[in-house]
Amino acid sequence: APDVVLMGPLDEGAATWEPAAIAAASQLRIPVISFGPHAGALGRLGTAEGVIGLLPSPWSAEGAAVVVDTALARHHRDTQAKERLETNLALLDAILHEAPLTIYAKDPQMRFLWSNRRHSELVGRPAEEVLGRTDVDLFGREGVALDAVGRKVFQTGRAESSEFELELRGQAHVFQEVIFPIAQAGRRVGIAGIATDLTEVRRQQALLSERVEELDRSRRISALTSECVELVQRCISIEESLELTRRFLSRLYTDANV
C-alpha cells in the first residue's frame, strides 16, 4: 500500500476520479496531497475526509517532497495520537466494566446509553437488553421514582446523592447512589450514575445492632441478679426474700405480671 496519495489533474480536462481517490486514501488512513488548479478545493475535501495536504501551483519536485514529508509527519503524529486515544478509551472501558460498582449513563429521555457488567448483573439482563430502555421499562412502578430523580438531575444540572431500596429478582437491595449530569461542549447530553450495593453492609449492621442489644440485656440482667442475691442474703425472713425476688423479676420482665 502507498504511504501517500498525490492527486491532481494532468490537464485541464481531468476526469472526476478525485472523490474516489480520497475515499480510498481515507480507508487506508494515509494522507492525500492535492495539486493543480483545483488543489485548494480538493485539499478542503481531503481535510473533511480526514486526509491532508496541499501542493499549490506552480509546484516543483523539491516543493512536492517538502509537502509530502510534512504531510506524512503530521499524519504519523495524528495516527499515533489516535491510537493512544483508542488504547486509553479501551482501557477506561475495561476498568468501568470490571469495576465492582454499578455504573451507567442515560440520554435526556432517561434511556440507558451505557451499562457496565455489575449493572447488567443486578438488572438480570445482558447490556444489549438494557440499552435503549428506561428504569420504568426495566423495573415497572419501582422505576418511576428512579426515573424522576434522573430527570431532576438533568434539568437542574446538579448532582444528587441518595439511598434507596429496589427489589431485584425477588431480593431486596439497598443502594447508595450518586447521579450527575453529563455535558459536551457546554451542553447537557445526559446523566450518569454510580451506585454501591449496601445490602450486605446493612444486613451486617442489623446483626451487630441485635448483638449489642443482647449484650446490653445480658449485662443488665447480670447486674440486677447480683444486686438481688446480695439483698436476699441480707433478708431475715422468707417473706422479705420473696418480695425482693418479685421486685427483681418485675424489673427484668417489665411486661410480665409477676
Side-chain angles (χ1 to χ4, degrees):
D3 293 324
V4 64
V5 172
L6 286 173
M7 184 174 63
L10 297 179
D11 55 58
E12 289 298 325
T16 58
W17 46 263
E18 293 92 344
I22 288 176
S26 300
Q27 293 176 0
L28 294 173
R29 301 176 68 180
I30 60 176
V32 171
I33 308 298
S34 300
F35 66 90
H38 305 292
L42 295 175
R44 287 192 293 273
L45 178 61
T47 301
E49 295 294 330
V51 288
I52 54 175
L54 176 62
L55 184 60
S57 180
W59 59 277
S60 63
E62 292 80 6
V66 171
V67 171
V68 169
D69 288 343
T70 302
L72 283 176
R74 188 186 312 166
H75 177 72
H76 289 157
R77 288 197 302 270
D78 293 344
T79 300
Q80 291 174 356
K82 186 175 182 180
E83 289 175 350
R84 286 195 299 270
L85 177 61
E86 291 174 349
T87 300
N88 291 338
L89 289 176
L91 178 61
L92 177 61
D93 188 70
I95 292 172
L96 293 176
H97 267 298
E98 297 304 321
L101 303 174
T102 299
I103 306 174
Y104 62 83
K106 298 179 182 177
D107 66 11
Q109 287 72 44
M110 297 300 106
R111 295 173 299 205
F112 284 99
L113 292 172
W114 196 82
S115 170
N116 78 337
R117 179 181 56 81
R118 180 60 177 161
H119 182 257
S120 299
E121 288 176 353
L122 286 172
V123 173
R125 300 189 186 188
E128 55 268 22
E129 293 184 12
V130 174
L131 303 183
R133 291 178 168 83
T134 66
D135 283 315
V136 178
D137 296 330
L138 297 173
F139 309 123
R141 287 186 299 176
E142 285 189 296
V144 174
L146 301 177
D147 188 89
V149 174
R151 292 181 185 276
K152 179 182 177 182
V153 169
F154 180 75
Q155 291 171 0
T156 62
R158 293 193 299 268
E160 286 203 10
S161 177
S162 63
E163 185 173 310
F164 64 92
E165 292 186 7
L166 184 65
E167 185 171 325
L168 299 172
R169 301 191 303 281
Q171 180 181 358
H173 286 259
V174 181
F175 292 97
Q176 176 68 41
E177 183 177 46
V178 177
I179 304 175
F180 52 93
I182 303 173
Q184 289 181 346
R187 185 173 65 89
R188 255 173 263 148
V189 295
I191 65 168
I194 301 176
T196 304
D197 191 345
L198 300 180
T199 306
E200 182 61 23
V201 173
R202 291 290 181 264
R203 191 182 72 84
Q204 294 294 337
Q205 287 177 340
L207 290 175
L208 179 60
S209 179
E210 291 178 2
R211 290 173 182 172
V212 169
E213 290 179 2
E214 290 176 0
L215 180 60
D216 183 67
R217 190 182 305 111
S218 297
R219 288 174 177 172
R220 186 163 54 88
I221 291 174
S222 177
L224 289 174
T225 301
S226 298
E227 179 184 346
C228 181
V229 169
E230 184 178 350
L231 290 174
V232 168
Q233 289 175 345
R234 296 176 183 174
C235 291
I236 58 176
S237 67
I238 293 178
E239 289 76 9
E240 188 178 1
S241 299
L242 290 174
E243 177 58 23
L244 285 172
T245 303
R246 185 192 66 77
R247 280 187 289 174
F248 164 71
L249 293 175
S250 297
R251 292 171 66 184
L252 282 183
Y253 307 101
T254 56
D255 297 331
N257 183 15
V258 181

